[in-house]
Amino acid sequence: MSRMHNPAHPGEVLREWLPEEMTVTQAAKELQISRVTLSKLLNAKAGITAGMALRLSAWLGTTPDIWLEMQTQWDLWQAKQQPIPNIKPLERLPT
């Protein structure tokens, strides 16, 4: 997956995949997770875990890698928005 400027949270992407007539409760039941867990994901209050990526890939016919890569890109972009401490590079001892 290519790096994006301000990538969408995977929960926002998932929200687009869900049929309009499907409720959060129905989707959570199909994924065998709690409604609260799915709601947090859809509202970008929680991230995609490896287990969730496996569930989503089985349910939507995708690969788990897609969901984990989306989460990684989102996490990395969020981290890059914070000040980076001045970290001195590791000096290797002569061998």
Side-chain angles (χ1 to χ4, degrees):
M1 174 176 273
S2 63
R3 290 203 166 99
M4 299 198 299
H5 176 70
N6 194 9
H9 186 278
E12 295 173 36
V13 175
L14 177 58
R15 194 178 314 125
E16 295 296 320
W17 279 61
L18 298 178
E20 287 185 29
E21 66 276 2
M22 181 173 277
T23 67
V24 173
T25 302
Q26 290 169 323
K29 189 172 184 177
E30 290 197 25
L31 288 165
Q32 300 179 20
I33 59 174
S34 75
R35 183 193 182 290
V36 171
T37 298
L38 183 56
S39 181
K40 285 180 180 178
L41 177 59
L42 293 172
N43 292 302
K45 303 295 182 192
I48 299 284
T49 62
M52 182 62 74
L54 289 169
R55 289 172 189 265
L56 291 173
S57 67
W59 191 47
L60 299 171
T62 63
T63 65
D65 303 69
I66 289 171
W67 297 100
L68 292 173
E69 287 173 14
M70 264 191 274
Q71 185 66 53
T72 299
Q73 290 300 318
W74 189 84
D75 289 342
L76 186 56
W77 192 87
Q78 294 297 318
K80 285 181 176 180
Q81 305 317 299
Q82 303 303 314
I84 299 174
N86 186 12
I87 298 174
K88 184 179 173 183
L90 176 67
E91 291 184 27
R92 301 270 178 190
L93 297 175
T95 54

